[in-house]
Amino acid sequence: MAELATIARPYAEALFKAVGAADALAVAEQVAELAKVAGDSQLRQFADSPKTQPEQVFTLVTSVVKVALGDAAKNLLRTVIDNGRLNALPEVAVQFRNLVNRRNGSSDAIVYSAFPMDAAALAEVSASLEKRFGRKLNLSTQLDESLIGGIRVVVGDEVLDTSVKARLEQMKTALTA
């Protein structure tokens, strides 16, 4: 994957320089949507066909995307397609989001929970996590019933696991050691 990251970096950096600070988050969402579409294997197969024209791929992708695309996102998509780098678009989205987060002094975090969390509980968890990690966090939540209870938080390469499943594993390790 290092090769894909190397390919994606110039696209992400160019987009980051082209987009103003006020528009960066909106563009990051648009690029993330483009990345979801570009990750589809049938779309890639269509795009990789020698009979398919770049304009056909562009039209197909823009018709499938669920958000309105701004000029910056459209220009990125057109450039990626013209250069035959549609497969790098998911990595471009990741790197662009990292650049935006770095500018804002924040990080993306995923909170895995065994049960749905209401807004008040999520706000409380967010405040605790921001204090713990020392930076602003952009939280997203996902259900993971295998946790049994509690939460598991992933911020970049850091993991904070306070789930019942993790505690049971720790007890199992302690008892069998």
Side-chain angles (χ1 to χ4, degrees), residues 19-61:
V19 175
D23 298 331
L25 285 175
V27 172
E29 291 177 18
Q30 294 169 15
V31 174
E33 285 296 318
L34 287 172
K36 285 180 190 175
V37 173
D40 184 68
S41 62
Q42 290 179 331
L43 174 71
R44 284 210 192 128
Q45 187 177 21
F46 174 74
D48 291 341
S49 170
K51 295 180 181 179
T52 305
Q53 298 297 315
E55 190 58 38
Q56 292 174 308
V57 178
F58 179 82
T59 303
L60 177 64
V61 172

Side-chain angles (χ1 to χ4, degrees), residues 55 107 114 146 148:
E55 190 58 38
S107 296
S146 71
I148 303 170

Side-chain angles (χ1 to χ4, degrees), residues 88-125:
L89 198 52
E91 182 63 24
V92 171
V94 168
Q95 290 193 22
F96 181 75
R97 183 66 183 206
N98 290 339
L99 290 169
V100 171
N101 284 343
R102 193 174 314 136
R103 178 191 296 170
N104 295 337
S106 63
S107 296
D108 291 331
I110 303 173
V111 177
Y112 296 94
S113 174
F115 303 100
M117 297 177 70
D118 62 358
L122 191 58
E124 187 177 320
V125 167

Side-chain angles (χ1 to χ4, degrees), residues 106-109 126 129-130 133 135-139 153 155:
S106 63
S107 296
D108 291 331
S126 176
L129 291 173
E130 286 179 1
F133 287 100
R135 57 188 176 261
K136 172 127 178 51
L137 298 176
N138 307 316
L139 293 183
V153 182
V155 180

Side-chain angles (χ1 to χ4, degrees), residues 28 47 144 149:
D144 183 357

